[in-house]
Amino acid sequence: MMSTLAFDIKETTDSKLSQVDFDNIEFGKVYSDHMFVAEYEDGEWKNLRIEPFGDLSVSPANATLHYAQSIFEGLKAYKNDAGDIFVFRPEANAKRLIESAERMCIPPIPEDLFMSALTELLKLDSAWIPTKPDTSLYIRPLIFANDPYVGVRPSNTYKFLLFTGPVGAYYSEEVNVKIETHYTRAVRGGVGSAKTAGNYAASLYPALQAQKEGYHQLIWTDGQNHEMIEEAGTMNLLFYINDTLITAPTSDSILHGITRDSVLTLAKDWGIKVEERQLSVKELIDSIEKGEVQEVFGAGTAATISKIRMIGYEGKQYELPKEKPLCDRLFDTLDKIKTGQVEDKFGWVCKI
Ligand SMILES: Cc1ncc(COP(=O)(O)O)c(C=O)c1O
């Protein structure tokens, strides 16, 4: 990957690297030494720079704090034993950030700026990329409205940040999920396909109720009738039923997951029948009862392939088969592609 844009780099004099316990990395608690920053003012992105990771100062009237005009991304970098650095499908994240920006009236970050920021930051903080199995460097780009103005309108000023942190597994075990038939994550015509802050805020209360009942996550259903399966809180859902891999079609109420797309591409390449179509809760439950459901799993950057052990629906719990060979094959293949151990025939991996 080539860096095309020049920007200032101010290196930290107080690296935190030696404080990190790379044998016990939890998800999302530790951040690398540097971050990329750019500001949008007078109609352009300017003041491009890398500086030490640190707190920001914002006005109490900051538009994002009040009205959530902000978007983000999530992707991962990996390092192999030879020290080569790989990022999985960063162009897809850059494009999705542009799509989210359009929906949220945010000026987009050009793809070349996104890639240059990523490249330079990873080069500088390459020692932060963990190498043990199931670990990676999580990369979090975000753009937020920065006007100190409490009126409701698109902001005139924005900040783009890109920071990273070493992470371990998101879920350490198979997950139990509850089909949600009361609360709604996203509706047709809403912002569900944008990776924007409010979607996640809205999901907290229903997810907490489900956690109190012993579930890890929710399966969201359509906002109108709660009959059709949409996705989970931080991952898309795939159902392997009668040798067919089924997932909800992308729409404006579902995040267009990059892992979802990668899984569908691999499955088609392996000759597995794939259907992107509506799956009703009724069809799913009937299929489980008939013993036709082979595997159910989530697909997302944070969780990669997340096996689902049990599905709860209207007070009943439906256990799924223990053996999940398709999940294992997908996880293993994606893992090897991401770390450059097998041929990257789809051109997904970006070597830094
Ligand atoms: C709501 C939601 N759905 C799906 C996904 C999976 O998307 P991806 O595979 O691009 O990480 C995520 C995570 O980014 C998410 O937040």
Side-chain angles (χ1 to χ4, degrees):
M1 189 197 325
M2 294 302 292
S3 168
T4 49
L5 298 170
F7 28 76
D8 292 338
I9 299 181
K10 183 175 166 219
E11 290 195 34
T12 184
T13 51
D14 180 26
S15 173
K16 305 282 187 291
L17 187 60
S18 62
Q19 298 168 18
V20 181
D21 176 3
F22 278 96
D23 291 325
N24 297 294
I25 316 172
E26 282 184 75
F27 190 90
K29 292 197 174 160
V30 177
Y31 303 107
S32 318
D33 280 334
H34 298 93
M35 61 184 182
F36 180 89
V37 187
E39 273 129 19
Y40 187 87
E41 284 165 16
D42 307 322
E44 60 175 320
W45 285 105
K46 49 174 83 159
N47 307 332
L48 316 183
R49 61 196 187 272
I50 287 177
E51 60 185 36
F53 178 88
D55 292 348
L56 307 171
S57 155
V58 294
S59 162
N62 172 277
T64 299
L65 297 182
H66 298 265
Y67 309 123
Q69 196 199 359
S70 67
I71 55 174
F72 64 98
E73 269 305 325
L75 62 163
K76 284 177 172 173
Y78 305 82
K79 192 157 60 177
N80 67 12
D81 292 339
D84 302 319
I85 300 170
F86 304 99
V87 187
F88 189 66
R89 305 191 68 178
E91 291 94 350
N93 293 91
K95 288 191 171 74
R96 191 169 63 188
L97 190 66
I98 291 171
E99 285 163 14
S100 297
E102 184 173 356
R103 180 64 181 85
M104 301 307 293
C105 303
I106 289 174
I109 285 289
E111 196 175 320
D112 62 341
L113 170 54
F114 182 97
M115 296 301 278
S116 297
L118 187 65
T119 307
E120 292 308 316
L121 193 65
L122 289 179
K123 279 190 201 158
L124 189 60
D125 279 339
S126 62
W128 285 82
I129 308 173
T131 50
K132 293 212 159 65
D134 289 339
T135 64
S136 57
L137 190 80
Y138 186 75
I139 303 163
R140 171 52 63 90
L142 77 152
I143 312 177
F144 66 90
N146 204 23
D147 275 5
Y149 175 62
V150 290
V152 179
R153 57 139 173 78
S155 186
N156 290 319
T157 59
Y158 296 84
K159 249 188 208 296
F160 169 59
L161 302 175
L162 201 151
F163 63 91
T164 71
V167 294
Y170 194 74
Y171 293 118
S172 51
E173 50 181 358
E174 294 194 16
V175 293
N176 300 331
V177 292
K178 179 187 153 186
I179 298 180
E180 177 60 64
T181 51
H182 177 73
Y183 298 105
T184 299
R185 172 187 178 271
V187 289
R188 293 290 142 86
V191 295
S193 63
K195 210 160 164 59
T196 186
N199 284 331
Y200 298 83
S203 74
L204 297 178
Y205 182 81
L208 210 58
Q209 303 312 306
Q211 279 160 23
K212 283 183 190 155
E213 295 172 43
Y215 295 97
H216 298 88
Q217 269 267 8
L218 291 177
I219 291 184
W220 295 107
T221 51
D222 72 280
Q224 212 152 11
N225 303 310
H226 295 294
E227 282 171 5
M228 297 298 169
I229 290 173
E230 299 247 291
E231 61 171 321
T234 54
M235 49 196 194
N236 295 107
L237 289 170
L238 294 105
F239 303 84
Y240 194 39
I241 305 175
N242 281 334
D243 292 328
T244 302
L245 190 59
I246 303 170
T247 192
T250 53
S251 71
D252 59 3
S253 61
I254 290 181
L255 192 84
H256 303 184
I258 295 159
T259 319
R260 170 192 181 278
D261 181 73
S262 309
V263 164
L264 296 183
T265 303
L266 283 176
K268 284 178 199 161
D269 188 55
W270 294 340
I272 293 171
K273 195 171 161 209
V274 168
E275 288 180 359
E276 289 182 68
R277 67 161 171 91
Q278 302 275 1
L279 176 68
S280 70
V281 177
K282 181 172 180 327
E283 181 183 346
L284 174 66
I285 299 296
D286 285 352
S287 304
I288 296 177
E289 284 180 331
K290 284 194 235 153
E292 293 170 353
V293 176
Q294 294 149 283
E295 303 180 34
V296 180
F297 57 97
T301 296
T304 323
I305 302 296
S306 184
K307 295 177 179 176
I308 294 180
R309 179 176 28 212
M310 182 270 280
I311 295 178
Y313 177 59
E314 289 187 338
K316 269 185 85 175
Q317 304 194 327
Y318 299 85
E319 292 287 336
L320 296 166
K322 282 199 174 50
E323 298 299 316
K324 296 183 175 69
L326 179 59
C327 281
D328 292 335
R329 187 177 178 197
L330 285 165
F331 182 88
D332 189 58
T333 306
L334 283 170
D335 190 54
K336 291 201 167 103
I337 293 174
K338 288 168 178 178
T339 47
Q341 294 174 63
V342 294
E343 188 204 345
D344 172 28
K345 64 194 262 194
F346 304 105
W348 285 338
V349 174
C350 201
K351 194 169 170 193
I352 299 289

